[in-house]
Amino acid sequence: MKSQKLALNRFEQRRRALLKQLSQLGPFVEGSLIGVQHPTCKHVAWRLTFKVKARTRTVYVPVDMAQEVKLWTQSYRRLRTLIRKVTRNSLALIHGHVAARQAASRGRRPNTKRTGASYSRSSGTASRN
């Protein structure tokens, strides 16, 4: 039982650390910032490209805002990565809880090592190898 608690705490601690990082993110915007050089102009024109309902949209970004918008797009990519990591740790907590409940119902000590079961992402069911 003690080892199960430690395993759960490990994922819980990771998730809390990731959520703390999420709260420290600044402003963000979804999309890609692209610099376009026109043959008739000496400066680069900046465009922010993103999707809305499966259609590509483009917004002009003034030159003096380009660096700031670039930081926003980087923050958005960091946000997506953090969301994936939080999800992974949350799923590990769920799987650990299910294993502990099943072991308790059989009157056994929960096994913290990975069993031969593989989980299907689409159906969420376990199958034996």
Side-chain angles (χ1 to χ4, degrees), residues 14-105:
R14 287 180 188 166
R15 188 172 68 166
R16 286 183 185 180
L18 291 166
L19 289 172
K20 187 175 182 181
Q21 289 178 26
L22 272 173
S23 69
Q24 295 170 350
L25 274 179
F28 57 87
V29 65
E30 183 178 7
S32 299
L33 187 64
I34 301 166
V36 180
Q37 179 72 45
H38 291 282
T40 58
C41 299
K42 292 184 179 183
H43 73 280
V44 175
W46 293 95
R47 307 272 189 238
L48 179 69
T49 305
F50 55 96
K51 295 274 188 174
V52 175
K53 295 184 180 177
R55 307 237 353 175
T56 303
R57 303 290 182 206
T58 302
V59 175
Y60 168 76
V61 177
V63 175
D64 58 332
M65 282 190 73
Q67 283 300 96
E68 188 175 7
V69 174
K70 184 174 187 172
L71 292 175
W72 293 350
T73 58
Q74 290 170 350
S75 290
Y76 179 74
R77 284 194 295 276
R78 178 75 179 138
L79 172 70
R80 281 192 330 204
T81 302
L82 288 171
I83 288 171
R84 277 191 225 110
K85 288 179 180 181
V86 168
T87 299
R88 205 171 334 164
N89 283 287
S90 297
L91 288 173
L93 284 170
I94 293 168
H95 290 301
H97 180 78
V98 170
R101 270 193 23 209
Q102 288 174 347
S105 70

Side-chain angles (χ1 to χ4, degrees), residues 3-20:
S3 61
Q4 181 67 19
K5 275 280 195 204
L6 291 176
L8 290 177
N9 285 337
R10 179 182 67 203
F11 294 119
E12 182 65 35
Q13 287 173 353
R14 287 180 188 166
R15 188 172 68 166
R16 286 183 185 180
L18 291 166
L19 289 172
K20 187 175 182 181

